[in-house]
Amino acid sequence: MVSASPEHHLRRSQLYRIHQSAGAYFEDQDGTLSVSQYAGNADELGQARRLGLADLSTLSRIGFKGHGAPAWLHTQGVLLPEQPNQTLLQTDGSLLLRLSAQEVLILRALHPASALITQLQNQVSSAAAQHAYVLPRADSHCWLALTGEYAAQTLAKICGVDMRLHKFAQGDVAQTSVARVNAIVTRYALEADTPCFYILCDVSLAEFLWVSLIDTMLEFGGQPIGLATLRQLQPTKPSSPS
Amino acid sequence: MKLLTCPLNGPRNITEFSYGGEFHHAPDSRTCDTKRWVEYVFFHDNQAGNVLEWWCHTATSYWFLAERNTVTDTVLRTFPASELFKQRVDFATQESSAKNDK
């Protein structure tokens, strides 16, 4: 497999040196570089189903805040959950997290062709006029995905919120402390029996959180996994809103 | 570990919160005298009994109010600041209108 070189890309993860030393193969997609998979793990799909950690930091995301944000997002055809700390899957596969009554975060789908974020980015000037202010989250936060049957047990070691699957449902959001780092955690729908938690934290703490999570995962045999593997676990078309 | 209930996020470990001091309504900085302003900024009642306090959930930077008994250290209730502040306080407008008054 031929790997793209992070040194020659402007849009790369803050964690790329760690990925390189772990034997990562990088893929270039629309000018951004993500880890496709890692060398030396013959069964990365099985790893993801057991316990895996993926770095999605180079995928696009955007946020909006302000007392006019919910109304403006409605005019853009965005679906909003009724309550804060809930998510709603959009028609293009993007995931919207309602962080408070007046703040949202939108994460693109794992598969290419999420149009919503591009559409909203093009409308930012009209948003400000209606008291909806853009938050460029792509550079402020790192974005990790913790997958597999031991994911909840891994989080139990480093997070005070009960994230066992029967307590922390699909679509729930917790803004809390993970390994003493302020983080946003939500459950995302992969294939039916593979739990997945998205974890976002301040980008300056990305390296600390990655190393902490990998260390925490050792007890359960956890390993890093690539985006190509994660995509195999997600249906191309979202079945229904979470 | 003590727990505190954030009105936005629910019960969380106390380590996720910062204490923000006693709650007092701010005097109008344009009309109050210096003594009153100094009392508001620096002085505290330090009352034994039920008090109203500012708290912040640091993971979300969400400020809210808590009614707490300082003798028993029991939190009676927590609620969003929007229960007391019904509209935005625009300090910039106040300052610019004060300058125009001079």
Side-chain angles (χ1 to χ4, degrees):
Chain A
M1 179 184 285
V2 179
S3 176
S5 171
E7 282 84 359
H8 300 109
H9 274 75
L10 289 175
R11 189 92 189 104
R12 63 193 180 199
S13 168
Q14 290 75 16
L15 299 166
Y16 80 90
R17 292 183 189 87
I18 291 180
H19 298 323
Q20 277 178 320
S21 62
Y25 291 107
F26 293 90
E27 63 174 27
D28 183 351
Q29 198 172 76
D30 305 326
T32 64
L33 210 62
S34 305
V35 174
S36 174
Q37 61 186 83
Y38 291 85
N41 195 338
D43 182 21
E44 208 169 282
L45 198 58
Q47 184 70 55
R49 289 185 175 125
R50 196 164 55 253
L51 183 59
L53 183 65
D55 177 16
L56 310 180
S57 295
T58 50
L59 302 187
S60 57
R61 51 200 177 277
I62 195 168
F64 289 92
K65 190 175 187 175
H67 67 83
W72 180 78
L73 288 163
H74 273 302
T75 66
Q76 297 296 316
V78 176
L79 308 169
L80 289 174
E82 290 293 321
Q83 298 295 323
N85 288 320
Q86 293 290 314
T87 68
L88 205 54
L89 207 55
Q90 305 296 300
T91 49
D92 73 335
S94 309
L95 186 71
L96 181 139
L97 289 73
R98 189 161 195 172
L99 301 179
S100 75
Q102 300 177 352
E103 182 178 354
V104 302
L105 170 63
I106 302 169
L107 310 172
R108 61 154 271 190
L110 296 179
H111 291 279
S114 294
L116 180 63
I117 292 176
T118 312
Q119 173 204 324
L120 295 175
Q121 276 169 338
N122 292 335
Q123 299 294 326
V124 162
S125 54
S126 78
Q130 295 179 48
H131 303 288
Y133 305 101
V134 66
L135 303 169
R137 294 296 198 193
D139 297 307
S140 66
H141 283 63
C142 84
W143 173 10
L144 309 179
L146 185 67
T147 69
E149 62 173 304
Y150 292 103
Q153 281 174 265
T154 301
L155 284 172
K157 294 169 71 177
I158 51 173
C159 179
V161 177
D162 190 349
M163 292 190 183
R164 288 175 296 170
L165 304 183
H166 63 287
K167 292 284 185 182
F168 194 70
Q170 204 81 256
D172 280 354
V173 176
Q175 301 175 79
T176 184
S177 176
V178 177
R180 296 185 181 269
V181 171
N182 291 336
I184 303 166
V185 185
T186 187
R187 254 186 81 191
Y188 185 62
L190 292 179
E191 60 179 17
D193 52 353
T194 303
C196 175
F197 294 89
Y198 280 165
I199 306 170
L200 294 104
C201 79
D202 191 282
V203 76
S204 62
L205 296 163
E207 215 167 302
F208 170 79
L209 187 61
W210 177 272
V211 172
S212 300
L213 279 166
I214 291 290
D215 186 59
T216 311
M217 292 158 63
L218 283 179
E219 179 185 346
F220 308 108
Q223 294 281 333
I225 56 169
L227 185 55
T229 305
L230 207 54
R231 282 191 183 125
Q232 290 178 53
L233 292 172
Q234 195 204 22
T236 315
K237 292 276 182 190
S239 51
S240 62
S242 56
Chain B
M1 178 80 75
K2 280 184 181 177
L3 297 179
L4 186 60
T5 301
C6 170
L8 174 63
N9 298 287
R12 290 284 192 273
N13 290 341
I14 197 74
T15 50
E16 291 189 24
F17 296 91
S18 297
Y19 173 66
E22 294 173 358
F23 171 81
H24 294 288
H25 279 288
D28 188 334
S29 58
R30 295 170 300 174
T31 54
C32 78
D33 59 17
T34 308
K35 183 171 180 294
R36 174 80 184 88
W37 187 253
V38 166
E39 281 178 356
Y40 168 68
V41 174
F42 297 107
F43 289 7
H44 306 289
D45 294 343
N46 201 22
Q47 186 179 316
N50 291 353
V51 297
L52 205 54
E53 298 170 331
W54 284 108
W55 283 83
C56 179
H57 181 242
T58 47
T60 49
S61 300
Y62 180 79
W63 285 95
F64 61 94
L65 291 155
E67 195 177 350
R68 185 173 70 95
N69 187 299
T70 54
V71 179
T72 60
D73 193 20
T74 310
V75 176
L76 305 171
R77 73 174 187 127
T78 56
F79 56 98
S82 57
E83 278 190 23
L84 296 182
F85 296 94
K86 300 293 182 194
Q87 63 186 38
R88 178 189 167 95
V89 180
D90 201 335
F91 295 100
T93 309
Q94 284 185 7
E95 284 169 13
S96 59
S97 63
K99 281 178 187 170
N100 293 336
D101 292 344
K102 289 179 183 174

